[in-house]
Amino acid sequence: MRQYQVQLLERMQAARTNSGARVNQLGVLIGAERFLLDLTQAGEIVPVPPVTVVPLTQPWYLGLANIRGNLVGLIDFARFQGGSETVAGPDSRIVTLATHLGFNCGLLVARVYGLRHAGDMEVTGDRLRDTDANEWIPLDLAALVTDARFLHVGF
């Protein structure tokens, strides 16, 4: 597992510095939907750490966790969008937001699919379809951190 994470990190770093025409994104499963995260907006991918629940917060705000010495707010994005609660399983991970977004938070994802090339996908409305007919939703994390509802985790 550790070797897989190291290889994925190396591929992500290579993709960030790639000046080619292909657009590399991180494919993740959140709830029942597949999402694409821009690599420049995603930070680390870590196993789900112990979470400290914060009282009087929205149900989608899972609480706080210590990730490499940083206090990070954890979000159940599926629930934020009105879906059902994401249950953390063995394939679940936390994808933190890139530091330049100015937000110490991470999204609970049910599974990380790895790098995807959006340039190879067919555009169908606001979604993308890969060669295996899987639909992907681009998720703009920079826009998410400006969403007023996302910014108000308290009741």
Side-chain angles (χ1 to χ4, degrees), residues 30-80:
I30 301 175
E33 301 275 7
R34 294 171 188 251
F35 287 87
L36 292 174
L37 307 177
D38 186 324
L39 288 178
T40 63
Q41 297 177 355
E44 292 187 73
I45 302 167
V46 297
V48 180
V51 179
T52 301
V53 175
V54 178
L56 301 175
T57 56
Q58 299 292 337
W60 48 265
Y61 187 78
L62 301 174
L64 296 169
N66 180 347
I67 298 178
R68 302 195 200 294
N70 295 311
L71 202 54
V72 176
L74 301 184
I75 309 299
D76 183 346
F77 188 72
R79 201 158 184 197
F80 173 77

Side-chain angles (χ1 to χ4, degrees), residues 123-128 136-138:
V123 177
T124 57
D126 61 346
R127 297 175 183 235
L128 300 170
W136 299 86
I137 304 169

Side-chain angles (χ1 to χ4, degrees), residues 13-32:
Q13 289 172 340
R16 285 182 180 154
T17 60
N18 183 5
S19 60
R22 298 180 85 138
V23 178
N24 291 308
Q25 297 183 315
L26 181 65
V28 297
L29 179 66
I30 301 175

